Amino acid sequence: MRILLIHADYLKYNVRDKTSIAEDIPEKMMEGSFKESLVVFTAIEKEDETNPEAVIKNAIKEIKDVFNKVKAEKIVIYPYAHLSSSLSSPEMAKKILKSMETALENEGFNVSRVPFGWYKAFKISCKGHPLSELSRTIKAEPKREKIAKEEIESKWFIIKNGKLMDPKDFEFKSKNFKSLVDYELGVLETKGGEPPHVKLMKEKNLADYEPSADIGHLRWYPKGRLIRDLLADYVYKLVTSEGAMPVETPIMYDLEDKAIRVHAEKFGERQYRMKNKKELMLRYACCFGAFRILSDSFLTWKNLPVRVYELSTYSFRLEKKGEVVGLKRLRGFTMPDLHTVCRDMGQALEEFEKQVEICLRTSRDFEVDYEVIFRATEDFYNSYRDWILSLVEKVGKPILLELLPERKHYWIAKMDFAAIDYLGRPIENPTVQIDVESGERFDITFLEEDGADRNPIILHCSPTGSIERVICSLLEKAAIEMEKRPPMFPVWLSPTQVRIIAVAERHVDYSMKIADKIRDEGIRVDVDDRPESVGKKIRDAAKEWIPYVIVVGDRELESAEFSVNIRKTGAKEIFKLGDFISMVKNEVKGMPFRPLTLPVRVSERINF
């Protein structure tokens, strides 16, 4: 049910024409005039038919609450189908509206009801105070009373060497792990200011805010787009090598679909919604599309586990304006999303372990250190304690454990991995979750060996977290390490992997020939042919964090060897061209490659 509550100086209406679904009314209902009223414009929806008694009860509660706050003298129930695109049958609407009127009368309220199914002309004067215009969505299921805070608080432990420890008694040896624990327990004293990756993403010409869009949406420049594409290729290769099947699904969904509406409500106000003829929602992950594909598929126990993967460009979350910042928290982002359909809990635990190993691999490949949280209901922990402790051993470091007294979400257990930024706050990256609700909610079934249809357990996994947060983690890591070592991306992610600096114009042609040979070996290379000093060119290459820099002058024209500046070590080493190419290829072996998307000659580039 959707209601719009207007505190009005007056409401006047006149019945004009009768529709095919109009109720029969007495002469006195053909027109009406009401002063000092709370007018309740009401649309009865399809889902209200599943539990009309609960809908009526919850609607009455909302109406009474507003009535008492605005201190109106009368309640007027006004049927108004335009509030929803998912209307109930006319018979059910009439029944619910009349029952609302009767229920309010029985509680002693002065109430009137405007007739259903008639074209009406009306005039209304809204009082205009802060509570004079309110909208509400009334759910069919009865509202649960809030549980006392002390009954829903999580319990926190640190797991180390197979033992649970109170965080207050733990001796921290890792600054990052302490930051994570303090943040989760709400005691972190954070530094103020903007995280440094925001300045770096602009300075390195990766991305910037788009002023003509909603906040939290970025424009990407060629270098940033190249890094994003490489990361997308990386995840694609990672998940498909584990048997995942790529799919692609829409970015918006009809909230008339009950399963989608219920799932979406768990994310509250963080939803991007739009209304045309239908009420639609932009996805915040790939769950809806993946689940609809799976529910329409014929699955048997022999097929499981089944893995489907999508890179969502984009997903949308209506984050609070004050929380949107740089690459860390966005309203539009790119999320690699893997869903695994499992036969039972035993199979789910096996797949969970494999996906944790994938998440740990991304830490190594990105050269970013993750801190880890395992979250679970107390029932799950008590049932699978030994498995959890063995999983922690694979992580190889202490982790934070959150135990929930009862299940509040669709998951009963999840493992979250987070990098720590320059300000000591976590950047949420990979996650693996065990979902015990969605199989039933979205009517995903598989044929069991005994011939019965059963709902599966589903794992959600993002092996990297959002692509934007991966880049955020890399930039924050660079900012942290800047005083100790030269900042840089992993070589396989560096937009330019090798730069050749031509000392003078007469060295440009030879530099281009060397660049051609390097490029033909699958290495991104460019040539700084600008009429600048060698010193400035070297400084500019350093500002771009280019891993390898070769200077070509007169000596190089006559020699088969080159002096290479290696950013990671700060060393200069002499290489023959073939040996240098072999070294770089070995450095990026097994990682995805895309060619340079900028002009090879630096002099031909534009400034973004």
Side-chain angles (χ1 to χ4, degrees), residues 230-462:
L230 286 166
L231 289 168
D233 292 346
Y234 169 87
V235 185
Y236 183 94
K237 180 179 179 181
L238 193 65
V239 298
T240 54
S241 68
E242 296 294 325
M245 298 176 287
V247 298
E248 185 170 344
T249 61
I251 66 168
M252 65 177 65
Y253 291 87
D254 186 354
L255 286 168
E256 185 176 337
D257 184 311
K258 183 178 180 181
I260 288 175
R261 181 185 287 277
V262 172
H263 200 73
E265 290 296 341
K266 294 179 180 293
F267 285 79
E269 297 177 353
R270 291 191 292 166
Q271 304 164 39
Y272 263 100
R273 291 194 179 191
M274 62 187 73
K275 192 168 184 178
N276 191 355
K277 292 183 178 180
K278 295 181 177 181
E279 187 174 13
L280 302 170
M281 189 191 87
L282 295 175
R283 67 182 178 190
Y284 47 77
C286 299
C287 304
F288 299 151
F291 292 164
R292 279 290 165 240
I293 286 176
L294 292 166
S295 66
D296 291 338
S297 302
F298 178 70
L299 306 174
T300 77
W301 84 96
K302 295 178 181 179
N303 303 127
L304 306 185
V306 166
R307 308 170 189 90
V308 293
Y309 167 74
E310 182 173 1
L311 178 72
S312 72
T313 308
Y314 285 95
S315 287
F316 302 88
R317 298 190 189 187
L318 195 61
E319 302 285 13
K320 293 181 180 179
K321 185 175 181 180
E323 295 178 348
V324 173
V325 58
L327 298 163
K328 185 175 182 180
R329 192 174 291 276
L330 293 161
R331 289 185 170 180
F333 54 93
T334 308
M335 177 66 78
D337 215 351
L338 172 65
H339 292 93
T340 306
V341 180
C342 299
R343 182 179 184 180
D344 51 29
M345 186 57 71
Q347 191 173 80
L349 298 184
E350 290 178 10
E351 288 296 305
F352 194 101
E353 284 189 55
K354 293 177 184 177
Q355 292 176 12
V356 166
E357 290 174 357
I358 290 174
C359 295
L360 293 173
R361 177 179 167 182
T362 68
S363 172
R364 297 190 295 270
D365 289 342
F366 299 155
E367 300 172 22
V368 172
D369 189 31
Y370 294 144
E371 302 301 333
V372 184
I373 310 172
F374 192 91
R375 309 180 196 269
T377 63
E378 290 188 10
D379 285 346
F380 181 88
Y381 176 80
N382 292 332
S383 298
Y384 301 102
R385 180 179 180 277
D386 291 342
W387 175 82
I388 294 171
L389 296 180
S390 68
L391 190 64
V392 173
E393 288 298 312
K394 292 186 177 182
V395 175
K397 61 195 306 186
I399 74 162
L400 182 62
L401 172 67
E402 179 185 10
L403 292 184
L404 291 76
E406 61 181 21
R407 180 165 63 85
K408 298 185 292 184
H409 312 282
Y410 56 78
W411 53 266
I412 54 172
K414 64 185 296 199
M415 186 172 271
D416 295 328
F417 300 78
I420 305 299
D421 70 11
Y422 183 87
L423 302 176
R425 299 173 298 195
I427 307 167
E428 298 169 5
N429 288 92
T431 185
V432 188
Q433 307 170 358
I434 302 177
D435 177 352
V436 294
E437 278 190 11
S438 297
E440 181 177 358
R441 179 181 298 128
F442 285 86
D443 195 27
I444 301 169
T445 61
F446 68 95
L447 184 67
E448 187 50 279
E449 195 170 4
D450 61 6
D453 283 334
R454 296 188 181 165
N455 300 119
I457 295 171
I458 299 175
L459 299 188
H460 301 243
C461 177
S462 182

